[in-house]
Amino acid sequence: MRLIESRTTLTITYIVLAIGAFTALFPIALLVLNSLKSAQEIVQNPLALPQAIRWDNFTRAWTDARFSQTFFNSIVLTGMTIVLVCVTGSMSAYVLARKKIKSWRLVTGYLLATTTAPIQLFLFPLYFAFAKLGLINNVFAVSLVYTAIYSPFAIMLLRTYFLAVPKELEEAALIDGATHWQVFTKVMLPIVSPGILTVALIIGLYSWNEFLIATTFLQQQDKVTAVVSFFLLSGQYSSDWGEIMAAALIIVLPIVILFVFLQRRFIEGMAGGSVKG
Protein backbone atom coordinates (compact mmCIF):
# COMPACT_ATOMS: atom_id res chain seq x y z
CA MET A 1 0.00 0.00 0.00
CA ARG A 2 2.81 2.37 0.91
CA LEU A 3 4.59 1.50 -2.34
CA ILE A 4 1.49 2.44 -4.35
CA GLU A 5 1.13 5.69 -2.42
CA SER A 6 4.80 6.56 -2.97
CA ARG A 7 4.49 5.87 -6.71
CA THR A 8 1.36 7.99 -6.90
CA THR A 9 3.09 10.84 -5.06
CA LEU A 10 6.12 10.55 -7.32
CA THR A 11 3.92 10.59 -10.44
CA ILE A 12 2.05 13.67 -9.27
CA THR A 13 5.34 15.36 -8.44
CA TYR A 14 6.71 14.70 -11.91
CA ILE A 15 3.51 15.97 -13.50
CA VAL A 16 3.63 19.19 -11.50
CA LEU A 17 7.33 19.65 -12.33
CA ALA A 18 6.66 19.01 -16.02
CA ILE A 19 3.89 21.62 -16.04
CA GLY A 20 6.16 24.09 -14.28
CA ALA A 21 9.01 23.42 -16.72
CA PHE A 22 6.71 23.86 -19.70
CA THR A 23 5.35 27.12 -18.29
CA ALA A 24 8.87 28.44 -17.75
CA LEU A 25 10.34 27.29 -21.08
CA PHE A 26 7.43 28.03 -23.40
CA PRO A 27 8.05 31.83 -23.58
CA ILE A 28 11.73 31.23 -24.38
CA ALA A 29 10.86 28.67 -27.04
CA LEU A 30 8.34 31.07 -28.54
CA LEU A 31 10.97 33.82 -28.51
CA VAL A 32 13.47 31.61 -30.35
CA LEU A 33 10.84 30.53 -32.87
CA ASN A 34 9.71 34.05 -33.73
CA SER A 35 13.24 35.43 -33.87
CA LEU A 36 13.74 33.30 -36.99
CA LYS A 37 10.62 34.55 -38.79
CA SER A 38 9.63 37.65 -40.70
CA ALA A 39 7.35 40.25 -39.16
CA GLN A 40 4.51 39.21 -41.47
CA GLU A 41 4.75 35.57 -40.41
CA ILE A 42 4.70 36.55 -36.74
CA VAL A 43 1.57 38.65 -37.18
CA GLN A 44 -0.18 35.89 -39.11
CA ASN A 45 0.59 33.08 -36.67
CA PRO A 46 3.20 33.45 -33.91
CA LEU A 47 2.97 29.71 -33.10
CA ALA A 48 3.70 28.47 -36.64
CA LEU A 49 7.10 27.28 -37.81
CA PRO A 50 9.08 29.72 -39.98
CA GLN A 51 8.71 29.28 -43.72
CA ALA A 52 12.32 30.32 -44.15
CA ILE A 53 14.86 30.94 -41.39
CA ARG A 54 15.67 34.65 -41.19
CA TRP A 55 19.19 34.85 -39.75
CA ASP A 56 19.38 38.45 -40.90
CA ASN A 57 17.08 39.37 -38.00
CA PHE A 58 20.02 38.96 -35.64
CA THR A 59 22.47 40.99 -37.72
CA ARG A 60 19.96 43.82 -38.17
CA ALA A 61 19.07 43.75 -34.47
CA TRP A 62 22.74 43.89 -33.46
CA THR A 63 23.38 46.83 -35.77
CA ASP A 64 20.18 48.83 -35.22
CA ALA A 65 20.29 48.45 -31.44
CA ARG A 66 24.02 49.26 -31.41
CA PHE A 67 24.62 46.24 -29.18
CA SER A 68 28.38 46.44 -29.69
CA GLN A 69 28.35 49.60 -27.54
CA THR A 70 25.27 49.11 -25.38
CA PHE A 71 26.29 45.58 -24.38
CA PHE A 72 29.60 46.97 -23.16
CA ASN A 73 27.74 49.62 -21.15
CA SER A 74 25.49 46.97 -19.59
CA ILE A 75 28.46 44.75 -18.73
CA VAL A 76 30.33 47.63 -17.08
CA LEU A 77 27.27 48.81 -15.15
CA THR A 78 26.31 45.32 -14.03
CA GLY A 79 29.87 44.41 -13.10
CA MET A 80 30.40 47.53 -10.98
CA THR A 81 27.07 47.01 -9.23
CA ILE A 82 27.88 43.38 -8.41
CA VAL A 83 31.29 44.30 -6.98
CA LEU A 84 29.94 47.19 -4.89
CA VAL A 85 26.96 45.23 -3.55
CA CYS A 86 28.98 42.11 -2.71
CA VAL A 87 31.80 44.06 -1.02
CA THR A 88 29.66 46.40 1.06
CA GLY A 89 26.88 43.87 1.62
CA SER A 90 29.20 41.13 2.88
CA MET A 91 30.90 43.45 5.37
CA SER A 92 27.59 44.82 6.66
CA ALA A 93 26.06 41.36 6.89
CA TYR A 94 29.06 40.03 8.84
CA VAL A 95 28.80 42.82 11.40
CA LEU A 96 25.05 42.37 11.79
CA ALA A 97 25.45 38.61 12.18
CA ARG A 98 28.27 38.64 14.72
CA LYS A 99 27.83 41.83 16.73
CA LYS A 100 25.00 42.11 19.23
CA ILE A 101 23.00 45.16 18.25
CA LYS A 102 20.22 46.24 20.59
CA SER A 103 18.35 48.02 17.82
CA TRP A 104 18.47 45.01 15.48
CA ARG A 105 14.69 45.06 15.07
CA LEU A 106 14.84 48.66 13.92
CA VAL A 107 17.62 47.80 11.49
CA THR A 108 15.59 44.87 10.17
CA GLY A 109 12.54 47.08 9.75
CA TYR A 110 14.60 49.65 7.89
CA LEU A 111 16.10 47.05 5.55
CA LEU A 112 12.69 45.54 4.83
CA ALA A 113 11.19 48.98 4.23
CA THR A 114 13.91 49.90 1.75
CA THR A 115 13.44 46.66 -0.17
CA THR A 116 9.71 47.26 -0.54
CA ALA A 117 9.74 51.02 -1.18
CA PRO A 118 9.20 51.80 -4.90
CA ILE A 119 12.05 53.57 -6.65
CA GLN A 120 9.60 56.10 -8.09
CA LEU A 121 9.54 57.78 -4.68
CA PHE A 122 13.22 58.69 -4.98
CA LEU A 123 13.50 59.17 -8.72
CA PHE A 124 12.83 62.93 -8.89
CA PRO A 125 15.07 63.98 -5.95
CA LEU A 126 17.80 61.66 -7.23
CA TYR A 127 17.61 63.12 -10.73
CA PHE A 128 17.64 66.67 -9.33
CA ALA A 129 20.72 65.90 -7.21
CA PHE A 130 22.51 64.13 -10.06
CA ALA A 131 21.79 67.03 -12.43
CA LYS A 132 23.19 69.52 -9.91
CA LEU A 133 26.33 67.43 -9.44
CA GLY A 134 26.78 66.83 -13.17
CA LEU A 135 26.41 63.06 -12.83
CA ILE A 136 23.85 62.50 -15.58
CA ASN A 137 25.21 60.00 -18.15
CA ASN A 138 27.73 58.75 -15.58
CA VAL A 139 27.73 54.95 -15.48
CA PHE A 140 29.55 54.77 -12.14
CA ALA A 141 27.00 57.11 -10.54
CA VAL A 142 24.16 54.90 -11.76
CA SER A 143 25.91 51.86 -10.28
CA LEU A 144 25.85 53.67 -6.90
CA VAL A 145 22.07 54.04 -7.22
CA TYR A 146 21.76 50.34 -8.02
CA THR A 147 23.97 49.52 -5.04
CA ALA A 148 21.79 51.54 -2.70
CA ILE A 149 18.66 49.82 -4.02
CA TYR A 150 19.93 46.23 -3.97
CA SER A 151 22.15 46.31 -0.86
CA PRO A 152 19.36 45.78 1.73
CA PHE A 153 18.32 42.54 0.03
CA ALA A 154 21.96 41.40 -0.20
CA ILE A 155 22.61 42.20 3.46
CA MET A 156 19.55 40.32 4.66
CA LEU A 157 20.45 37.27 2.57
CA LEU A 158 24.18 37.22 3.37
CA ARG A 159 23.51 37.62 7.08
CA THR A 160 21.86 34.18 7.10
CA TYR A 161 25.04 32.65 5.66
CA PHE A 162 27.25 34.21 8.30
CA LEU A 163 24.87 33.03 11.03
CA ALA A 164 25.30 29.46 9.78
CA VAL A 165 29.08 29.56 10.34
CA PRO A 166 30.11 28.31 13.82
CA LYS A 167 31.65 30.99 16.01
CA GLU A 168 34.30 28.52 17.09
CA LEU A 169 36.07 28.96 13.74
CA GLU A 170 36.49 32.69 14.36
CA GLU A 171 37.57 32.16 17.95
CA ALA A 172 40.20 29.62 16.87
CA ALA A 173 41.55 32.02 14.23
CA LEU A 174 41.72 34.87 16.75
CA ILE A 175 43.55 32.66 19.23
CA ASP A 176 46.08 31.82 16.51
CA GLY A 177 46.83 35.52 16.18
CA ALA A 178 44.64 36.54 13.23
CA THR A 179 43.13 40.01 13.18
CA HIS A 180 39.41 40.57 12.77
CA TRP A 181 39.99 41.63 9.17
CA GLN A 182 41.96 38.45 8.48
CA VAL A 183 39.21 36.38 10.07
CA PHE A 184 36.68 38.04 7.80
CA THR A 185 38.70 37.78 4.58
CA LYS A 186 40.57 34.50 5.11
CA VAL A 187 38.07 32.45 7.08
CA MET A 188 34.53 33.77 6.66
CA LEU A 189 34.45 34.86 3.03
CA PRO A 190 35.64 31.49 1.61
CA ILE A 191 33.01 29.69 3.68
CA VAL A 192 30.13 31.93 2.58
CA SER A 193 31.32 32.14 -1.04
CA PRO A 194 28.25 30.19 -2.29
CA GLY A 195 26.07 32.89 -0.75
CA ILE A 196 28.10 35.65 -2.34
CA LEU A 197 27.80 33.90 -5.71
CA THR A 198 24.04 33.66 -5.23
CA VAL A 199 23.82 37.37 -4.43
CA ALA A 200 26.03 38.19 -7.41
CA LEU A 201 23.76 36.24 -9.78
CA ILE A 202 20.57 37.82 -8.46
CA ILE A 203 21.97 41.35 -8.41
CA GLY A 204 23.47 40.83 -11.86
CA LEU A 205 20.08 39.76 -13.20
CA TYR A 206 18.37 42.77 -11.65
CA SER A 207 20.98 45.21 -12.92
CA TRP A 208 21.08 43.74 -16.42
CA ASN A 209 17.30 43.98 -16.84
CA GLU A 210 16.74 47.32 -15.05
CA PHE A 211 15.12 49.93 -17.28
CA LEU A 212 13.62 52.88 -15.38
CA ILE A 213 16.78 54.20 -13.72
CA ALA A 214 18.95 53.46 -16.74
CA THR A 215 16.72 55.34 -19.13
CA THR A 216 16.41 58.27 -16.68
CA PHE A 217 20.07 58.83 -15.83
CA LEU A 218 21.75 57.55 -19.02
CA GLN A 219 20.46 59.66 -21.89
CA GLN A 220 23.34 59.89 -24.35
CA GLN A 221 23.29 57.33 -27.16
CA ASP A 222 26.79 56.11 -26.31
CA LYS A 223 25.85 55.61 -22.62
CA VAL A 224 22.53 53.72 -22.78
CA THR A 225 22.31 50.07 -21.80
CA ALA A 226 21.27 47.13 -23.95
CA VAL A 227 17.77 47.01 -22.45
CA VAL A 228 17.20 50.71 -23.26
CA SER A 229 18.47 50.30 -26.82
CA PHE A 230 16.17 47.29 -27.21
CA PHE A 231 13.21 49.44 -26.16
CA LEU A 232 14.17 52.05 -28.76
CA LEU A 233 13.82 49.46 -31.54
CA SER A 234 10.03 49.64 -31.30
CA GLY A 235 8.72 52.40 -33.55
CA GLN A 236 5.69 54.60 -32.90
CA TYR A 237 3.73 53.47 -35.94
CA SER A 238 5.35 50.21 -37.05
CA SER A 239 7.74 47.62 -35.68
CA ASP A 240 9.76 44.80 -37.19
CA TRP A 241 8.77 42.05 -34.78
CA GLY A 242 11.27 39.60 -36.19
CA GLU A 243 14.10 42.01 -35.45
CA ILE A 244 12.66 42.80 -32.01
CA MET A 245 12.40 39.11 -31.12
CA ALA A 246 15.98 38.56 -32.24
CA ALA A 247 17.15 41.51 -30.14
CA ALA A 248 15.27 40.18 -27.12
CA LEU A 249 16.92 36.79 -27.57
CA ILE A 250 20.35 38.41 -27.78
CA ILE A 251 19.73 40.19 -24.47
CA VAL A 252 18.35 37.10 -22.73
CA LEU A 253 21.01 34.62 -23.87
CA PRO A 254 23.93 35.83 -21.68
CA ILE A 255 21.86 35.53 -18.51
CA VAL A 256 20.47 32.12 -19.49
CA ILE A 257 23.91 30.73 -20.37
CA LEU A 258 25.43 32.08 -17.16
CA PHE A 259 22.68 30.59 -15.03
CA VAL A 260 22.92 27.20 -16.78
CA PHE A 261 26.64 26.98 -15.97
CA LEU A 262 26.22 28.19 -12.37
CA GLN A 263 22.84 26.70 -11.50
CA ARG A 264 24.26 24.06 -9.18
CA ARG A 265 26.20 26.62 -7.16
CA PHE A 266 23.18 28.91 -7.19
CA ILE A 267 20.87 26.21 -5.80
CA GLU A 268 23.46 25.23 -3.18
CA GLY A 269 23.79 28.85 -2.20
CA MET A 270 20.04 29.35 -1.84
CA ALA A 271 19.77 26.18 0.25
CA GLY A 272 22.70 27.23 2.41
CA GLY A 273 21.10 30.58 3.12
CA SER A 274 17.83 29.16 4.42
CA VAL A 275 18.80 29.63 8.06
CA LYS A 276 16.71 31.62 10.50
CA GLY A 277 18.52 34.34 12.37
Side-chain angles (χ1 to χ4, degrees):
M1 186 67 181
R2 291 182 179 179
L3 181 60
I4 296 176
E5 291 179 353
S6 62
R7 288 181 177 178
T8 303
T9 303
L10 186 62
T11 302
I12 295 174
T13 302
Y14 278 126
I15 293 174
V16 172
L17 291 175
I19 294 174
F22 176 81
T23 304
L25 295 177
F26 179 75
I28 298 179
L30 192 62
L31 179 64
V32 174
L33 178 66
N34 288 306
S35 67
L36 301 173
K37 297 160 61 175
S38 65
Q40 184 178 2
E41 291 180 81
I42 296 174
V43 172
Q44 289 177 351
N45 188 356
L47 298 178
L49 294 175
Q51 298 177 0
I53 296 179
R54 299 289 299 272
W55 296 109
D56 61 305
N57 287 340
F58 293 93
T59 57
R60 288 187 294 107
W62 185 270
T63 303
D64 294 344
R66 296 175 290 106
F67 278 148
S68 57
Q69 177 63 43
T70 58
F71 251 73
F72 176 77
N73 296 337
S74 291
I75 292 173
V76 171
L77 180 57
T78 302
M80 287 193 297
T81 303
I82 290 174
V83 171
L84 289 173
V85 170
C86 289
V87 171
T88 59
S90 60
M91 291 189 290
S92 301
Y94 175 65
V95 173
L96 293 175
R98 285 298 185 249
K99 304 300 180 181
K100 294 183 179 180
I101 302 176
K102 295 181 180 180
S103 58
W104 165 242
R105 291 185 178 180
L106 294 177
V107 175
T108 304
Y110 170 76
L111 294 175
L112 291 176
T114 52
T115 55
T116 56
I119 185 58
Q120 288 83 354
L121 294 177
F122 316 106
L123 199 59
F124 177 75
L126 274 175
Y127 185 84
F128 180 78
F130 273 45
K132 286 291 185 180
L133 296 173
L135 296 177
I136 302 297
N137 296 312
N138 188 312
V139 177
F140 179 74
V142 176
S143 70
L144 293 179
V145 178
Y146 284 178
T147 302
I149 295 173
Y150 303 139
S151 286
F153 163 78
I155 293 171
M156 294 289 290
L157 183 58
L158 287 174
R159 179 178 176 269
T160 62
Y161 290 96
F162 285 112
L163 288 173
V165 180
K167 293 183 179 180
E168 289 76 10
L169 292 176
E170 298 173 78
E171 296 172 354
L174 291 173
I175 292 174
D176 290 339
T179 63
H180 287 284
W181 177 252
Q182 289 174 332
V183 170
F184 173 69
T185 56
K186 304 295 184 181
V187 177
M188 300 300 292
L189 286 184
I191 295 176
V192 301
S193 58
I196 296 176
L197 176 61
T198 301
V199 169
L201 285 174
I202 296 175
I203 299 305
L205 178 62
Y206 288 166
S207 303
W208 185 268
N209 292 329
E210 202 282 326
F211 175 79
L212 181 60
I213 298 174
T215 192
T216 302
F217 293 98
L218 300 176
Q219 301 174 355
Q220 292 182 0
Q221 289 188 352
D222 61 337
K223 298 294 184 180
V224 300
T225 60
V227 173
V228 176
S229 64
F230 165 74
F231 174 78
L232 296 176
L233 282 178
S234 179
Q236 183 177 2
Y237 300 105
S238 63
S239 301
D240 188 338
W241 290 108
E243 181 183 2
I244 291 175
M245 293 295 176
L249 184 60
I250 292 174
I251 293 176
V252 168
L253 272 180
I255 298 297
V256 173
I257 294 173
L258 183 64
F259 182 80
V260 168
F261 280 104
L262 299 178
Q263 61 175 330
R264 180 174 298 179
R265 295 292 301 274
F266 176 78
I267 295 172
E268 291 175 355
M270 291 299 292
S274 58
V275 178
K276 294 183 179 180

